[in-house]
Amino acid sequence: SVDLVVLTLDRAVAAWAARPLRVGRLAGGMSLTPFVLGPDAIPRITDPDLARRHPELAVLSALAHIDAPEVEDIAAAALLAAHDLDNDRAILYPDAIFARLGEIARKALEKIMQTGRYEFQSDFARKYFAEGKAEGKAEVLLHLLAHRGIAITDDDRQRVLTCTDDAQIEAWIFRVLTADSRDAVFGG
């Protein structure tokens, strides 16, 4: 027995992939109908507890429902779901969400942080952000820049490490989440 599974975030691709396929030329061939998991088959997860129980599904929900009215709540639940995961997934999942949702994900993260529900994922970030240390925030910023592959100058590195303004560092951190260059983080 052979099963063909198609996972797509695009409704048009889901509709196309759900059509039966004729395969084989001998004896008239056979028909194969793929199992399609498209946006309409993926639940909209807005409940943080449900998202924590099923983090991969929560991330898939955020990626699939970019056009949903409650997209910020879906993204927020998915970001919260990454909290208790191992470091690899705690970095990769939010990165995937930010890559697909950009500004929407940034607003969701800001919303979480304003309500006080956001808990940083890495032990490093939890330690330094909880203590409010600017130098810890600077280290997290440098780590995020490196993870995102954004090259910075030695002057940028020094500027970050000597900055004592928490609000400025946090602004850079928010920018790096959706930035594609050093200029997008620090300005021209």
Side-chain angles (χ1 to χ4, degrees):
S1 170
V2 175
D3 290 316
L4 175 60
V5 178
V6 176
L7 173 63
T8 180
L9 301 176
D10 186 289
R11 282 182 178 81
V13 171
W16 169 82
R19 298 184 316 215
L21 302 169
R22 298 285 300 156
V23 292
R25 295 181 183 184
L26 300 175
M30 66 177 208
S31 180
L32 173 68
T33 302
F35 174 77
V36 178
L37 183 59
D40 294 332
I42 300 168
R44 296 177 184 196
I45 297 179
T46 58
D47 176 28
D49 292 329
L50 179 60
R52 281 191 174 110
R53 287 194 305 274
H54 306 284
E56 286 79 11
L57 186 58
V59 171
L60 192 56
S61 178
L63 300 177
H65 298 296
I66 192 169
D67 56 351
E70 68 274 25
V71 66
E72 284 183 25
D73 293 327
I74 295 169
L79 290 168
L80 285 168
H83 172 263
D84 295 323
L85 301 176
D86 57 84
N87 282 342
D88 288 341
R89 292 185 299 163
I91 291 170
L92 294 175
Y93 291 175
D95 189 54
I97 293 167
F98 283 108
R100 173 107 165 126
L101 301 181
E103 183 69 18
I104 294 167
R106 188 185 62 74
K107 286 181 181 177
L109 182 57
E110 287 175 350
K111 185 176 182 180
I112 293 170
M113 293 181 83
Q114 288 170 354
T115 64
R117 293 184 305 157
Y118 184 75
E119 298 176 41
F120 289 94
Q121 287 111 32
S122 72
D123 291 337
F124 182 85
R126 275 195 288 267
K127 177 182 174 188
Y128 286 101
F129 274 77
E131 295 174 10
K133 293 184 176 179
E135 61 269 21
K137 292 179 183 182
E139 291 293 331
V140 169
L141 173 59
L142 293 174
H143 177 74
L144 288 171
L145 286 161
H147 174 72
R148 300 267 313 170
I150 299 173
I152 60 171
T153 66
D154 288 339
D155 287 343
D156 293 333
R157 180 175 300 283
Q158 191 61 31
R159 180 178 172 195
V160 168
L161 291 173
T162 59
C163 183
T164 58
D165 182 352
D166 282 353
Q168 177 61 69
I169 295 175
E170 288 175 9
W172 289 332
I173 288 172
F174 281 124
R175 287 186 210 142
V176 78
L177 296 173
T178 57
D180 59 359
S181 69
R182 71 152 304 275
D183 288 345
V185 177
F186 299 110

